[in-house]
Amino acid sequence: SQQGEEDPQALSIQEGENATMNCSYKTSINNLQWYRQNSGRGLVHLILIRSNEREKHSGRLRVTLDTSKKSSSLLITASRAADTASYFCATQNSGNTPLVFGKGTRLSVIA
Amino acid sequence: NAGVTQTPKFQVLKTGQSMTLQCAQDMNHEYMSWYRQDPGMGLRLIHYSVGAGITDQGEVPNGYNVSRSTTEDFPLRLLSAAPSQTSVYFCASSYSSVRPNYGYTFGSGTRLTVV
């Protein structure tokens, strides 16, 4: 069963704009992760945020986590056409439990 | 360093046939798993393994078998293929199953069609 649910399902923006995707989940987590999937390819790990962290940065990516609201957001700043992909959040409940993925957000960045 | 290698990349099966999807990793990862991805459904966990000799079922295990005789390999067997098993299958691995906070490395997927 899906733990995380991304919003919106699809997002279309112009190159140079910022893209924000949200993820909500249902139960307590150990960590939350974001992945990117280009069309026809496997998923690529982008960033992991632990339950005791509130914000994390990696290059043009910024992830926030609000455990009281059971939600996370992924911000991509100054988007590029190459950022066009599907983005998935995934949650891990404890040390040795598998990741549970949401259904993803399809991001289109128009040049 | 190849990462996670899946073979074949594409496969067409007839209903009732059996086959094995191969997955190998060269990163000495303890944890390996199989997911299927269907349109609008995201990724659903089929089976996973926390180490050699140990496997467990995920959300959608019916119709699939796995074994983990070595750290490197985690094959997925379809016992009697059905059209409902038409999907894209991804193998993923992670460094440790008991210490959290490691991301998964995914293979490039196997696109399976059952006719």
Side-chain angles (χ1 to χ4, degrees):
Chain A
S1 59
Q2 246 74 32
Q3 158 78 307
E5 190 157 328
E6 292 90 342
D7 172 61
Q9 291 186 355
L11 179 63
S12 184
I13 60 174
Q14 297 288 326
E15 204 167 30
E17 293 181 337
N18 294 342
T20 299
M21 288 158 269
N22 302 297
C23 172
S24 59
Y25 58 92
K26 298 172 185 171
T27 62
S28 297
I29 60 170
N30 183 293
N31 66 73
L32 185 144
Q33 306 179 24
W34 286 92
Y35 289 77
R36 183 187 73 233
Q37 183 181 33
N38 292 95
S39 180
R41 310 291 289 271
L43 280 74
V44 175
H45 179 253
L46 294 177
I47 198 164
L48 180 153
I49 187 164
R50 296 176 174 80
S51 60
N52 62 354
E53 297 175 315
R54 291 297 166 257
E55 188 170 313
K56 208 161 182 181
H57 297 255
S58 177
R60 293 184 296 113
L61 305 181
R62 173 179 170 251
V63 168
T64 60
L65 179 64
D66 187 335
T67 53
S68 67
K69 295 181 179 178
K70 293 186 170 58
S71 67
S72 173
S73 67
L74 170 67
L75 169 67
I76 304 174
T77 60
S79 62
R80 306 165 181 168
D83 294 328
T84 293
S86 290
Y87 292 81
F88 294 86
C89 71
T91 54
Q92 188 171 39
N93 292 354
S94 63
N96 60 356
T97 57
L99 281 182
V100 179
F101 286 83
K103 297 181 181 180
T105 292
R106 287 192 318 278
L107 173 67
S108 297
V109 181
I110 302 165
Chain B
N1 202 352
V4 177
T5 302
Q6 288 186 239
T7 56
K9 293 191 185 304
F10 302 94
Q11 184 70 50
V12 178
L13 285 180
K14 293 182 179 178
T15 297
Q17 286 185 318
S18 62
M19 79 160 294
T20 299
L21 280 62
Q22 302 291 345
C23 176
Q25 53 90 9
D26 61 358
M27 298 170 286
N28 202 30
H29 282 177
E30 287 184 356
Y31 179 89
M32 297 185 75
S33 55
W34 279 100
Y35 290 85
R36 60 178 288 174
Q37 185 177 33
D38 302 293
M41 299 291 292
L43 280 84
R44 293 182 293 170
L45 181 67
I46 304 171
H47 286 284
Y48 66 100
S49 169
V50 299
I54 306 168
T55 63
D56 208 344
Q57 295 181 350
E59 180 186 356
V60 288
N62 292 342
Y64 307 95
N65 267 357
V66 292
S67 60
R68 184 98 178 267
S69 55
T70 66
T71 300
E72 295 78 18
D73 300 297
F74 191 44
L76 177 72
R77 281 181 287 276
L78 278 70
L79 308 174
S80 177
S84 61
Q85 294 178 303
T86 294
S87 187
V88 182
Y89 291 84
F90 288 101
C91 179
S93 72
S94 182
Y95 174 64
S96 173
S97 60
V98 294
R99 283 183 287 172
N101 303 320
Y102 288 94
Y104 284 15
T105 301
F106 277 82
S108 57
T110 294
R111 187 175 295 275
L112 175 68
T113 302
V114 182
V115 297

